[in-house]
Structure formats: C-alpha cells, structure tokens
Amino acid sequence: MSGFFDKLYSHTVAGLRPSPIREMFHLIRKPGIISFAGGMPDPEIFPVDLFYEAAGILKTQGRDVLQYGTTEGYPPLKEFLRTWTAPRMGRTVEDEEILITAGSSQVSDLLCWSLVDPGDLILIEDPSFLGVFLNMHNHGADFLTVPCDADGMMVDRIPELVESAQRQGRKVKLCYTIANFHNPLGCTLSLQRRKKLLEYAHRYGFAVLEDDPYGYVRFDGEHLPTLFSLDDQGVVVYGGSFSKILAPGTRVGWCAGNREIIRKMAVFKQGVDVCASLVAQALVYEYCRLGHLDGFLPRIVDHYRKKRDAMEAAMRRHLPLEEVSWVKPQGGFFCWAQTKSLDADTLFLKAVEKKVAFVPGKAFYPKQDGGQNALRLCFTFASAEQTEEGMSRLGQAMREMLPG
C-alpha cells in the first residue's frame, strides 16, 4: 500500500518541515552518549513527593476533575495564576484575559490560527526556538529575521524590514520573541530594546508574542519587566509554562492577553483539543495551592545555577579557548558557543563518535542560513560528572578538527 496517500495529502504537507533535533535522536540515544542536545529539565529535581501529595485532589474532587473541563481552563488554576503572575504582568489580569493551554507551545499555534494567513510575515529572532518557528512555517507564515547580540533582538532593524515588506504589499502580523534567557542563545532582551520593540509594534500595527518559559529561572541580575507589563495598548500576548518551574510532563501552560484575542484563541482550542487535561490542571493547581510552587522553585533555580556554573567551568578546562567563545547566560537552560572555523555539522558527527552530543547551530535559523559554526549546549540535564566528561570528549573532538 506504499504511496496510497500521495494523491491525498494537503498542500501544507508539501512544505512540511520536521524538527532536526527529533530527527537526530536516533544518533544520540546510543548507549553511553552524554547529551547536551535536548532542552530537558533534570528529573533529579522534579518534586515527585510534593506532586504526589497534590494528587490527593483526585480523592476529594475526582468526580469533577475526571470530567470534561471548560476550554478556557480550570477556574481555580486560572484564579491562582491571575494572582501569582501579577508581579510579572504589572497588574492582575482579568479572567477573560487568561487561557490555560497544553504547554506553552500551544500558545503560538493558537495565535497563528487566529492571526496568520498563508504568506503573512512574522518578525522573529535569528536564531530562534525551532519548535515554534516550524509550527509557524507549517501555518504558512514567512519570516522577517532579526539578528541578535548579547542584548537580544536588534530591534532597530525592524522599521526597515517592516517598511520594505509594506512597500511590497505584504502584511506583518506578529513578532515572536523569547525575551528572557533566549533559546538557543541564552541572551536577554535589554530594557531599552523592550521599550523600542513595543514602540515599533504600536507604530506598525503588529502583535507581539512574548514567549517566557524560562523567565522565572533567573540565576543572576534583576528581573526585567515583561513586555506585557510595559504595553499600554494590548498588543502583547504573554506565554508561560509550568514545564521549567515544575515538570514538563504536566503539559500545562498559559497565556495572557487582550480579551478579544484570548477569546479567538479559545474558540480555535475548542476544535484542537476541547481543553487541556483537566486532571493535569487540577494536580498543578493543588501543588500551587499547597504552597509548593513558591516553596520549591528556589531549589530548582539554585540547582540549575550550579549546573550552569559546572558546565562553564568544564568548558574553560577542556575546550580550545582560542577557538571557542560564549556568553555566560544569566538564567534559563542553554549556552550558545561560537567557533571561529569549525563546521558544527562535521563536529557533531565527530562528537557523536566520542559519545557526546549537542545541537548544531543552523537548526535554529528560520531560513536555514546561519549557525554553521555554532552549537547549542543544554546544561540542565547532564550530571556534573557527565558534564565534566562530556566537555572533555567535546574538546578532544574539536582539537582533532583544528589544523596542526
């Protein structure tokens, strides 16, 4: 029956782009591989016992939480989030301004359903999180890519990009940004640039998706105000997640924004999955109600701070510093390393031979036109011992590729 579906596929399938990270998993799952590739939390810090305690809600409210839920989200969890996020949001959002989602990735999907027609343009950091831009691509979006430096997206490039597109009769609908502890770069958008980005959004009439899964995982420095809190015209949709501050297996995220766009996203969600798992939402809520989110989160942050420091120390000990450079991230999960001359794809294959893995940089470029000499390293998953050994192996692979 091979080929049966060839004449049945949608037009979207023709341009479908799979995740290169998922595609490489068959290489990095070999026994003995030390992986800095997948952006996974450390299961050793999962609050298993505390979450098990939260499961008591199934005994007391099981008949309710095992039923279908409202598309907008489990009301007690929404109420908790309205209060808990107020310091970051700059105010307590209204009930109609918040939507519970199946992880933060669903926020971008629902927003694209609501805003993006095939051929519409999205401003996006270059590089960016491939999970989101692949989804946007599969919605038919094209990209206006904006380069980044240590202070995040170089937003002063935006006027020229938008005005050029408008002269061609094209619509710029959205700007996607990971303002805090960027994936993959690890950088943070400066306060000045946050204000500039909003100025341009208001001037040119595009929405902003502020994807903030790492915002609460800050190791150094002061928290910067969210774009949502700085926005006085309601153009920002803020996306948050429990994946990095509790556990990704919950698949519970949320977004906040203008009630009109939240309503449109909720209507699309009705057709996508009816509602996020009510059981998962109830368990997350009970975990939060018992005080465990605030009580345990500092331990998570401290745990990952130590892992970041262990990776950087190992990088300094084992990598050829005349060839490799990086910026120490102030939070999040990732370190972005740049080499002067090494091809990252070739280095990846040599590294896998030595049983260590990373993600080559070009996977994160929406137009697949950069990152040939870069690699993303996730510091949260491997143990300190694995990080030390993994960096030793990576350093050996690099030196074998250098002349002389």
Side-chain angles (χ1 to χ4, degrees):
M1 297 297 290
S2 177
F4 170 77
F5 285 97
D6 289 349
K7 296 181 180 180
L8 303 178
Y9 286 130
S10 68
H11 292 297
T12 304
V13 168
L16 201 62
R17 287 172 60 182
S19 165
I21 295 180
R22 298 294 174 183
E23 295 292 301
M24 71 169 63
F25 268 13
H26 72 283
L27 290 175
I28 64 179
R29 284 178 171 169
K30 296 178 181 179
I33 287 277
I34 296 173
S35 179
F36 304 126
M40 295 190 295
D42 182 2
E44 293 298 320
I45 198 62
F46 288 163
V48 175
D49 291 338
L50 298 177
F51 203 64
Y52 181 76
E53 181 185 350
I57 196 172
L58 296 176
K59 184 71 172 177
T60 60
Q61 300 183 38
R63 287 182 177 84
D64 294 324
V65 301
L66 292 173
Q67 187 54 274
Y68 287 111
T70 61
T71 301
E72 290 78 10
Y74 183 52
L77 179 59
K78 291 183 68 179
E79 185 63 28
F80 171 83
L81 284 170
R82 290 178 59 223
T83 301
W84 190 73
T85 62
R88 287 184 71 74
M89 298 294 94
R91 62 181 175 85
T92 301
V93 298
E94 299 296 326
D95 183 72
E96 296 83 1
E97 295 177 306
I98 190 168
L99 174 68
I100 306 298
T101 59
S104 63
S105 293
Q106 192 179 51
V107 177
S108 64
D109 186 53
L110 296 173
L111 192 58
C112 282
W113 278 116
S114 303
L115 296 181
V116 177
D117 293 314
D120 283 344
L121 292 166
I122 295 176
L123 290 156
I124 190 168
E125 290 145 338
D126 203 29
S128 186
F129 172 44
L130 64 100
V132 165
F133 73 66
L134 289 177
N135 179 268
M136 292 174 168
H137 167 83
N138 293 337
H139 272 280
D142 289 337
F143 299 106
L144 295 175
T145 56
V146 185
C148 300
D149 59 18
D151 289 323
M153 180 189 287
M154 300 168 70
V155 298
D156 280 339
R157 305 284 185 93
I158 289 176
E160 179 182 356
L161 290 169
V162 174
E163 290 173 12
S164 175
Q166 289 177 339
R167 286 193 295 271
Q168 299 171 41
R170 304 194 67 185
K171 295 180 180 179
V172 180
K173 292 284 190 72
L174 180 65
C175 176
Y176 173 68
T177 180
I178 310 168
N180 297 307
F181 321 127
H182 188 273
N183 178 8
L185 296 175
C187 60
T188 293
L189 188 66
S190 70
L191 178 58
Q192 181 182 7
R193 290 186 180 180
R194 290 173 194 234
K195 293 177 179 178
K196 274 285 189 182
L197 175 56
L198 290 173
E199 176 187 328
Y200 296 141
H202 298 158
R203 180 190 305 175
Y204 295 109
F206 57 80
V208 177
L209 174 53
E210 180 180 14
D211 193 4
D212 196 30
Y214 311 101
Y216 289 94
V217 190
R218 175 177 280 278
F219 312 136
D220 309 314
E222 296 182 2
H223 285 283
L224 293 176
T226 61
L227 289 161
F228 184 95
S229 69
L230 294 170
D231 176 27
D232 61 2
Q233 296 187 29
V235 304
V236 176
V237 174
Y238 174 94
S241 175
F242 285 97
S243 291
K244 310 303 186 292
I245 58 177
L246 200 171
T250 63
R251 301 313 303 137
V252 175
W254 72 91
C255 60
N258 178 292
R259 66 183 64 206
E260 294 181 8
I261 189 62
I262 293 297
R263 173 59 182 163
K264 295 294 190 295
M265 293 169 68
V267 172
F268 277 109
K269 185 170 171 61
Q270 291 170 5
V272 171
D273 63 3
V274 181
C275 67
S277 165
L278 192 57
V279 172
Q281 292 183 73
L283 289 172
V284 169
Y285 163 70
E286 186 68 359
Y287 176 88
C288 296
R289 187 191 69 81
L290 293 170
H292 299 326
L293 183 63
D294 287 326
F296 199 75
L297 183 55
R299 290 180 58 185
I300 293 176
V301 174
D302 185 61
H303 183 75
Y304 290 146
R305 179 189 295 110
K306 291 174 180 175
K307 281 180 169 273
R308 176 206 59 180
D309 293 344
M311 173 170 278
E312 189 184 39
M315 291 170 73
R316 293 191 180 281
R317 278 192 290 271
H318 298 295
L319 301 189
L321 300 183
E322 71 281 4
E323 173 68 22
V324 188
S325 62
W326 64 89
V327 175
K328 184 177 183 180
Q330 291 186 315
F333 276 35
F334 304 108
C335 180
W336 180 256
Q338 294 268 19
T339 72
K340 291 182 179 178
S341 61
L342 301 181
D343 178 77
D345 286 342
T346 305
L347 177 61
F348 171 79
L349 295 176
K350 183 171 284 290
V352 168
E353 290 177 0
K354 297 183 180 298
K355 296 191 173 182
V356 62
F358 58 88
V359 183
K362 74 177 183 181
F364 301 98
Y365 283 77
K367 294 186 175 180
Q368 301 175 304
D369 58 356
Q372 289 82 1
N373 304 114
L375 44 156
R376 189 192 75 172
L377 301 163
C378 175
F379 53 77
T380 55
F381 183 71
S383 68
E385 295 75 18
Q386 289 172 327
T387 295
E388 186 72 20
E389 176 60 26
M391 283 301 154
S392 175
R393 297 176 187 180
L394 183 58
Q396 293 172 26
M398 287 181 172
R399 288 186 173 88
E400 288 179 12
M401 289 180 62
L402 292 172

